[in-house]
Amino acid sequence: MSYVNATPVLRVSDYQRAKAFYMDVLRFDSVVNEAGDPVTGFGIFRAGDAQIFLHSWDGPGEAWDNWRAYFYVPDMDAMIAHLDTCKQPFKGPEVTFYGMREIEVTDPDGNVLCFGQDAG
């Protein structure tokens, strides 16, 4: 079995707030699709080759304190500078034992997102 790509589906409590965070802070640059009736509650967003799904959900959440998505970035220093400009807190950077330089960002709904670049 092999896969070409995988897309994280993130549960969010406030769709419009989440959309603003991903579009403005994390610079997803296009909305591929939005759906919901009567209020939009699902969207597909793209940034370069990366894609995420945001889905409104106010039900019980899983007890999970690890990453919900991992994004490879071409320029970690530029990513950090942008987050600083947006006054968005993050953890790191840290160079891992598996050769990546990573930071963690938590979105407004508590989804922990990891951003990594080859440390080499």
Side-chain angles (χ1 to χ4, degrees), residues 67 70 72 94-102 104 114 116-119:
W67 304 332
Y70 192 100
Y72 292 89
E94 179 181 324
V95 175
T96 68
F97 69 91
Y98 46 88
M100 297 296 289
R101 183 174 177 226
E102 298 174 340
E104 291 181 359
C114 187
Q117 178 183 28
D118 288 327

PDB file of all heavy atoms in Angstrom, residues 67 70 72 94-102 104 114 116-119:
ATOM      1  N   TRP A  67       0.430  16.090  18.118  1.00  0.00           N
ATOM      2  CA  TRP A  67       0.191  16.834  16.886  1.00  0.00           C
ATOM      3  C   TRP A  67      -1.061  16.353  16.175  1.00  0.00           C
ATOM      4  O   TRP A  67      -1.355  15.167  16.137  1.00  0.00           O
ATOM      5  CB  TRP A  67       1.352  16.679  15.917  1.00  0.00           C
ATOM      6  CG  TRP A  67       2.677  17.075  16.437  1.00  0.00           C
ATOM      7  CD1 TRP A  67       2.960  17.998  17.400  1.00  0.00           C
ATOM      8  CD2 TRP A  67       3.935  16.556  16.022  1.00  0.00           C
ATOM      9  NE1 TRP A  67       4.305  18.083  17.609  1.00  0.00           N
ATOM     10  CE2 TRP A  67       4.934  17.199  16.756  1.00  0.00           C
ATOM     11  CE3 TRP A  67       4.306  15.606  15.086  1.00  0.00           C
ATOM     12  CZ2 TRP A  67       6.278  16.940  16.601  1.00  0.00           C
ATOM     13  CZ3 TRP A  67       5.644  15.334  14.923  1.00  0.00           C
ATOM     14  CH2 TRP A  67       6.622  16.005  15.664  1.00  0.00           C
ATOM     15  N   TYR A  70       1.291  17.751  10.545  1.00  0.00           N
ATOM     16  CA  TYR A  70       2.708  18.054  10.381  1.00  0.00           C
ATOM     17  C   TYR A  70       2.876  18.694   9.011  1.00  0.00           C
ATOM     18  O   TYR A  70       2.430  18.148   8.014  1.00  0.00           O
ATOM     19  CB  TYR A  70       3.554  16.773  10.448  1.00  0.00           C
ATOM     20  CG  TYR A  70       5.033  17.036  10.584  1.00  0.00           C
ATOM     21  CD1 TYR A  70       5.658  16.944  11.815  1.00  0.00           C
ATOM     22  CD2 TYR A  70       5.808  17.382   9.485  1.00  0.00           C
ATOM     23  CE1 TYR A  70       7.028  17.178  11.945  1.00  0.00           C
ATOM     24  CE2 TYR A  70       7.164  17.624   9.604  1.00  0.00           C
ATOM     25  CZ  TYR A  70       7.765  17.515  10.845  1.00  0.00           C
ATOM     26  OH  TYR A  70       9.109  17.766  10.970  1.00  0.00           O
ATOM     27  N   TYR A  72       5.673  20.418   6.319  1.00  0.00           N
ATOM     28  CA  TYR A  72       7.062  20.665   5.929  1.00  0.00           C
ATOM     29  C   TYR A  72       7.145  22.070   5.366  1.00  0.00           C
ATOM     30  O   TYR A  72       6.338  22.442   4.506  1.00  0.00           O
ATOM     31  CB  TYR A  72       7.509  19.645   4.876  1.00  0.00           C
ATOM     32  CG  TYR A  72       7.609  18.242   5.420  1.00  0.00           C
ATOM     33  CD1 TYR A  72       6.513  17.402   5.404  1.00  0.00           C
ATOM     34  CD2 TYR A  72       8.795  17.785   5.978  1.00  0.00           C
ATOM     35  CE1 TYR A  72       6.584  16.119   5.924  1.00  0.00           C
ATOM     36  CE2 TYR A  72       8.880  16.506   6.494  1.00  0.00           C
ATOM     37  CZ  TYR A  72       7.775  15.679   6.462  1.00  0.00           C
ATOM     38  OH  TYR A  72       7.853  14.402   6.981  1.00  0.00           O
ATOM     39  N   GLU A  94      13.432  23.396  17.717  1.00  0.00           N
ATOM     40  CA  GLU A  94      14.205  22.306  18.288  1.00  0.00           C
ATOM     41  C   GLU A  94      14.675  21.408  17.153  1.00  0.00           C
ATOM     42  O   GLU A  94      13.933  21.122  16.224  1.00  0.00           O
ATOM     43  CB  GLU A  94      13.315  21.499  19.236  1.00  0.00           C
ATOM     44  CG  GLU A  94      14.000  20.328  19.874  1.00  0.00           C
ATOM     45  CD  GLU A  94      13.059  19.554  20.790  1.00  0.00           C
ATOM     46  OE1 GLU A  94      12.216  20.168  21.453  1.00  0.00           O
ATOM     47  OE2 GLU A  94      13.185  18.313  20.812  1.00  0.00           O
ATOM     48  N   VAL A  95      15.940  20.984  17.239  1.00  0.00           N
ATOM     49  CA  VAL A  95      16.464  20.026  16.266  1.00  0.00           C
ATOM     50  C   VAL A  95      16.253  18.636  16.860  1.00  0.00           C
ATOM     51  O   VAL A  95      16.670  18.363  17.986  1.00  0.00           O
ATOM     52  CB  VAL A  95      17.953  20.275  15.947  1.00  0.00           C
ATOM     53  CG1 VAL A  95      18.491  19.191  15.033  1.00  0.00           C
ATOM     54  CG2 VAL A  95      18.134  21.651  15.321  1.00  0.00           C
ATOM     55  N   THR A  96      15.591  17.786  16.102  1.00  0.00           N
ATOM     56  CA  THR A  96      15.217  16.465  16.602  1.00  0.00           C
ATOM     57  C   THR A  96      16.286  15.423  16.306  1.00  0.00           C
ATOM     58  O   THR A  96      17.168  15.641  15.471  1.00  0.00           O
ATOM     59  CB  THR A  96      13.901  16.008  15.949  1.00  0.00           C
ATOM     60  OG1 THR A  96      14.145  15.771  14.555  1.00  0.00           O
ATOM     61  CG2 THR A  96      12.808  17.047  16.131  1.00  0.00           C
ATOM     62  N   PHE A  97      16.161  14.278  16.949  1.00  0.00           N
ATOM     63  CA  PHE A  97      17.088  13.176  16.706  1.00  0.00           C
ATOM     64  C   PHE A  97      16.918  12.615  15.292  1.00  0.00           C
ATOM     65  O   PHE A  97      17.797  11.942  14.785  1.00  0.00           O
ATOM     66  CB  PHE A  97      16.893  12.063  17.749  1.00  0.00           C
ATOM     67  CG  PHE A  97      15.596  11.317  17.616  1.00  0.00           C
ATOM     68  CD1 PHE A  97      15.507  10.175  16.830  1.00  0.00           C
ATOM     69  CD2 PHE A  97      14.456  11.764  18.273  1.00  0.00           C
ATOM     70  CE1 PHE A  97      14.311   9.496  16.709  1.00  0.00           C
ATOM     71  CE2 PHE A  97      13.258  11.084  18.162  1.00  0.00           C
ATOM     72  CZ  PHE A  97      13.184   9.954  17.374  1.00  0.00           C
ATOM     73  N   TYR A  98      15.787  12.896  14.645  1.00  0.00           N
ATOM     74  CA  TYR A  98      15.558  12.396  13.284  1.00  0.00           C
ATOM     75  C   TYR A  98      15.880  13.438  12.222  1.00  0.00           C
ATOM     76  O   TYR A  98      15.493  13.314  11.067  1.00  0.00           O
ATOM     77  CB  TYR A  98      14.140  11.838  13.114  1.00  0.00           C
ATOM     78  CG  TYR A  98      13.030  12.689  13.671  1.00  0.00           C
ATOM     79  CD1 TYR A  98      12.426  13.694  12.919  1.00  0.00           C
ATOM     80  CD2 TYR A  98      12.585  12.475  14.972  1.00  0.00           C
ATOM     81  CE1 TYR A  98      11.408  14.460  13.438  1.00  0.00           C
ATOM     82  CE2 TYR A  98      11.562  13.235  15.499  1.00  0.00           C
ATOM     83  CZ  TYR A  98      10.965  14.217  14.728  1.00  0.00           C
ATOM     84  OH  TYR A  98       9.954  14.984  15.255  1.00  0.00           O
ATOM     85  N   GLY A  99      16.613  14.503  12.619  1.00  0.00           N
ATOM     86  CA  GLY A  99      17.188  15.432  11.655  1.00  0.00           C
ATOM     87  C   GLY A  99      16.279  16.541  11.149  1.00  0.00           C
ATOM     88  O   GLY A  99      16.526  17.101  10.081  1.00  0.00           O
ATOM     89  N   MET A 100      15.249  16.868  11.920  1.00  0.00           N
ATOM     90  CA  MET A 100      14.362  17.961  11.533  1.00  0.00           C
ATOM     91  C   MET A 100      14.482  19.104  12.536  1.00  0.00           C
ATOM     92  O   MET A 100      14.710  18.884  13.723  1.00  0.00           O
ATOM     93  CB  MET A 100      12.902  17.484  11.490  1.00  0.00           C
ATOM     94  CG  MET A 100      12.627  16.411  10.455  1.00  0.00           C
ATOM     95  SD  MET A 100      12.869  16.958   8.759  1.00  0.00           S
ATOM     96  CE  MET A 100      11.472  18.046   8.542  1.00  0.00           C
ATOM     97  N   ARG A 101      14.334  20.313  12.040  1.00  0.00           N
ATOM     98  CA  ARG A 101      14.226  21.504  12.887  1.00  0.00           C
ATOM     99  C   ARG A 101      12.737  21.839  12.931  1.00  0.00           C
ATOM    100  O   ARG A 101      12.127  22.090  11.891  1.00  0.00           O
ATOM    101  CB  ARG A 101      15.022  22.653  12.275  1.00  0.00           C
ATOM    102  CG  ARG A 101      15.025  23.904  13.115  1.00  0.00           C
ATOM    103  CD  ARG A 101      15.957  24.943  12.510  1.00  0.00           C
ATOM    104  NE  ARG A 101      15.917  26.175  13.248  1.00  0.00           N
ATOM    105  CZ  ARG A 101      15.820  27.372  12.703  1.00  0.00           C
ATOM    106  NH1 ARG A 101      15.785  27.510  11.395  1.00  0.00           N
ATOM    107  NH2 ARG A 101      15.783  28.441  13.456  1.00  0.00           N
ATOM    108  N   GLU A 102      12.157  21.829  14.145  1.00  0.00           N
ATOM    109  CA  GLU A 102      10.711  21.912  14.269  1.00  0.00           C
ATOM    110  C   GLU A 102      10.254  22.978  15.252  1.00  0.00           C
ATOM    111  O   GLU A 102      10.959  23.295  16.213  1.00  0.00           O
ATOM    112  CB  GLU A 102      10.140  20.567  14.750  1.00  0.00           C
ATOM    113  CG  GLU A 102      10.385  19.434  13.799  1.00  0.00           C
ATOM    114  CD  GLU A 102       9.955  18.091  14.350  1.00  0.00           C
ATOM    115  OE1 GLU A 102       9.805  17.938  15.588  1.00  0.00           O
ATOM    116  OE2 GLU A 102       9.788  17.173  13.529  1.00  0.00           O
ATOM    117  N   GLU A 104       6.272  24.118  17.168  1.00  0.00           N
ATOM    118  CA  GLU A 104       4.873  23.743  17.373  1.00  0.00           C
ATOM    119  C   GLU A 104       4.038  24.999  17.560  1.00  0.00           C
ATOM    120  O   GLU A 104       4.434  25.911  18.285  1.00  0.00           O
ATOM    121  CB  GLU A 104       4.720  22.860  18.614  1.00  0.00           C
ATOM    122  CG  GLU A 104       5.323  21.495  18.465  1.00  0.00           C
ATOM    123  CD  GLU A 104       5.127  20.634  19.705  1.00  0.00           C
ATOM    124  OE1 GLU A 104       4.539  21.105  20.705  1.00  0.00           O
ATOM    125  OE2 GLU A 104       5.586  19.485  19.677  1.00  0.00           O
ATOM    126  N   CYS A 114       2.668  20.891  13.983  1.00  0.00           N
ATOM    127  CA  CYS A 114       4.120  20.903  13.932  1.00  0.00           C
ATOM    128  C   CYS A 114       4.566  21.338  12.546  1.00  0.00           C
ATOM    129  O   CYS A 114       4.006  20.908  11.534  1.00  0.00           O
ATOM    130  CB  CYS A 114       4.673  19.524  14.262  1.00  0.00           C
ATOM    131  SG  CYS A 114       6.484  19.543  14.418  1.00  0.00           S
ATOM    132  N   GLY A 116       8.095  21.634  10.241  1.00  0.00           N
ATOM    133  CA  GLY A 116       9.458  21.141  10.238  1.00  0.00           C
ATOM    134  C   GLY A 116      10.190  21.410   8.935  1.00  0.00           C
ATOM    135  O   GLY A 116       9.598  21.527   7.878  1.00  0.00           O
ATOM    136  N   GLN A 117      11.513  21.525   9.081  1.00  0.00           N
ATOM    137  CA  GLN A 117      12.416  21.699   7.941  1.00  0.00           C
ATOM    138  C   GLN A 117      13.628  20.810   8.200  1.00  0.00           C
ATOM    139  O   GLN A 117      14.057  20.663   9.356  1.00  0.00           O
ATOM    140  CB  GLN A 117      12.853  23.164   7.821  1.00  0.00           C
ATOM    141  CG  GLN A 117      13.829  23.408   6.690  1.00  0.00           C
ATOM    142  CD  GLN A 117      14.296  24.867   6.642  1.00  0.00           C
ATOM    143  OE1 GLN A 117      14.337  25.554   7.646  1.00  0.00           O
ATOM    144  NE2 GLN A 117      14.646  25.318   5.464  1.00  0.00           N
ATOM    145  N   ASP A 118      14.189  20.234   7.140  1.00  0.00           N
ATOM    146  CA  ASP A 118      15.401  19.450   7.310  1.00  0.00           C
ATOM    147  C   ASP A 118      16.453  20.284   8.026  1.00  0.00           C
ATOM    148  O   ASP A 118      16.709  21.427   7.637  1.00  0.00           O
ATOM    149  CB  ASP A 118      15.955  18.982   5.948  1.00  0.00           C
ATOM    150  CG  ASP A 118      15.090  17.899   5.322  1.00  0.00           C
ATOM    151  OD1 ASP A 118      14.518  17.098   6.077  1.00  0.00           O
ATOM    152  OD2 ASP A 118      15.007  17.864   4.093  1.00  0.00           O
ATOM    153  N   ALA A 119      17.049  19.712   9.070  1.00  0.00           N
ATOM    154  CA  ALA A 119      18.044  20.454   9.851  1.00  0.00           C
ATOM    155  C   ALA A 119      19.384  20.560   9.153  1.00  0.00           C
ATOM    156  O   ALA A 119      20.191  21.412   9.489  1.00  0.00           O
ATOM    157  CB  ALA A 119      18.222  19.809  11.231  1.00  0.00           C
TER     158      ALA A 119
END
